[in-house]
Each structure stands twice: as structure tokens, then as C-alpha cells.
Amino acid sequence: MAAAAALGAGLLAAPAAAQPRHLETEKHAVSVETMARGLEHPWGMAFLPDGRVLVTERNPGRLRILGRDGALSPAVQGVPEVYRYPGPTGRSQGGLFDVVLHPEFERNRTLFLSFSRWTEEGGGTAVARGRLAEQGGQARLEDVRVIFMQNNPDGSGLHFGGRMAVDPREGVLLLTIGDRRNMGRAQRADDHAGSVIRMTFDGEPAPGNPFLGQEGRDPHIYAIGLRNPQGMALDAETGTLWLNDHGPQRGDTIQRIEAGKNYGWPFLTGGKDYSGAPIGVGTEREGMESALHIFEETVAPSGLAIYRGEMFPEWRGDLLHGALRGRAVVRTRIEDGRVTQEEWMLRDLDRRIRDVRVDREGALWLLTEHEDGEVLRVTARRQ
């Protein structure tokens, strides 16, 4: 959760050889430091209370710890095995995805991992819970158990979703799941594909879920009609749950997620299929929620933070989206239910941005989605 992440990290020392890059944005001059490199497709990160950073690596299924001195730990032991079946296209989006901390991590050392998992019935998105133990410079997960596995698993290697958020007020964990490249599944309220899941910290359907006790509807589901959402954040100040979703060509969206709502995929979309063929019926349909915003330029969004820090006051309250295809951080300001500012920042870095987080000092942390992936830290440039 972006709001929780904003409370969790102190300063790390950048690697000695790293020289910050000085860049301009519309609102602030910034410095970008490389805190670590050599990660294999990093996907998610979480700030530990002592200022270190947990980082997941998607393809190899590794969890690493970035120390305060900028050193990366060996792989944390005990991480569940991930599923990487490439599917008929020869591509796979599977692996280890997000990591979030239990709200009482300092007491119980509990964290959650989302990942692609194989079962006898097929593969899908899962969540495991474990306790981080450290001794003699070695870290491992103990008491690991899978608390959630999406229903109707299949053989696809695509559209797993996998982003998580914690709501400490309600004591629940939220998870996105993609449509598994089978768009019709997103319209089924009994199918986890194409949905937001809301569960307890033990993986049970959360109290207050919209479909609890309804025949033919799954009690874990919070919202349906999504394609492949990989950015989600809960605003601690307003309680609003925001999400960005991969659309088809030129159809990436921002959604405000509410209980029981249908967000329309594949009927509602501003884009077209990659073949050029039209999809859906447009951007409005009775009984479905239109996107709050459809990006005109392809973003391929992944990672989302709500900026509530002090370091960049002109960004306060804005949504910061990682852009894979767009190779940027996209800042959007939402006022009166519409985007009034859209800025594509840090394009000079020429990096695919996989995750976006904000530390307790207001600095922006980024993961670059490459074979030689990086952890970057963005701070206000001193004049």
C-alpha cells in the first residue's frame, strides 16, 4: 500500500560509485540516485521499519533485502516456488510479484507475497504469508503458507495482475488479478480473473465484501470488469482505493474502485485490440462504471503511489504511475472526478518503471523493469 509505504523507510546510502542525475519536472527540480542495480526484473518493494528495503525479482522468484549501505542481500530463503509456464506465445508474465508488510510487522514480522502458482488444475495468482526471520546475516521466511489461490486456474502465462495493498483500518488485504488473457472471464462474478480480491490476513473473504452469501458469486471478490491491473493504492487520508489498468492499444485507465462495481472490461474500453480490431461498445454502458480517465498515449501502467509527502509539495495528493511502455513516471492530479493535470516525468532516464513508492521523508522510490534492473531514489534537488 502506497500510504503504508510512505511511513516505512529512512535514508539509505547510495552506492559509492553512483552519481545522481539532475532532472527537471514541471513542478520540481529533482535528483535521481541509483541505490542498487543488477536485479532481474524487479517487480515490487516494501520499506522495513529500520530503513532497509525488500525487493522482489519476478523471473527468478527471488526476494532480496537492500541494506542501508546499498548492498543487496542473497536471496531470502523460504520463498514459495513460482510458476513461469510461457504459454503458446512463448512469453510469460509470471513469477514473484508484490510484497507488503502486515500492519503490525514490528511485532509479528509478518509479510505477504503475491506470485504465480501452479496447481494440478493449472496456474494462477496466489498470496503467501510468512514471517521474516534473520540470524547471522541470513534471512529466511518461516511459517510460510499459501492463504489464497485464485479459482479456475489455467495454462496461460499472461495477465496475472498481482498488485497488493493493505487497509490497516479494516484489517484486510487487497489483491488485483488479471483476466488471464481471456477477456470474458472479467465479467463473471464467480471467477477471480479480472477482479479485485479483498481478504482477511488469513486469506478468508473479508467481512463486508459485496457478494458474501450470494449464490453464483464469489465471496472474495470486491470488484470485477478489469483487464490486467498492476498498480493499486489506498489513500490513507480519504480512504479511496485507486487502481491503474492495462488496456488494449491506447486504452490504459485510472479507476476509482468501489465495492461491488463492474468496471466494464471488455465492453468498456477506449482502445482497440492489438490486431487493430475494435473491442466492446465504447466507454459507457448502463450498469457498468466508466473509467475515470483513459490515457491518450500508451502507458502500460505498473505500480501506483499517492503522494502525501512533504518533499515535493506541488505533487501532494497526486497519483504517480509507473510507465513500462511509456518509460516514465506519469503524474495525474484528480479534481472533481477528472484528471486536470497529466505530466510524464523522468523520461530522460529511458527506463521501464515497474513500481513506485514513497518513503517517510517524501522521497520517491522506483524499480526499473529490466534484466539489469535498478532501485532508484528521487529527491528534491538542492538549489
Side-chain angles (χ1 to χ4, degrees), residues 43 121 150 214 228 375:
W43 208 96
E121 292 78 28
Q150 77 163 94
Q214 296 187 25
N228 190 27
V375 181

Side-chain angles (χ1 to χ4, degrees), residues 187 261-264 267-268 281-290:
Q187 283 298 309
K261 297 294 180 68
N262 180 346
Y263 291 87
F267 295 104
L268 301 187
V281 298
T283 58
E284 296 183 0
R285 186 176 186 178
E286 186 176 355
M288 296 181 180
E289 300 298 308
S290 297

Side-chain angles (χ1 to χ4, degrees), residues 172 197-200 202-209 212 218-221:
V172 298
I197 300 296
R198 185 171 176 267
M199 69 185 89
T200 69
D202 291 320
E204 297 298 320
N209 277 2
L212 279 170
D218 189 275
H220 278 96
I221 292 177

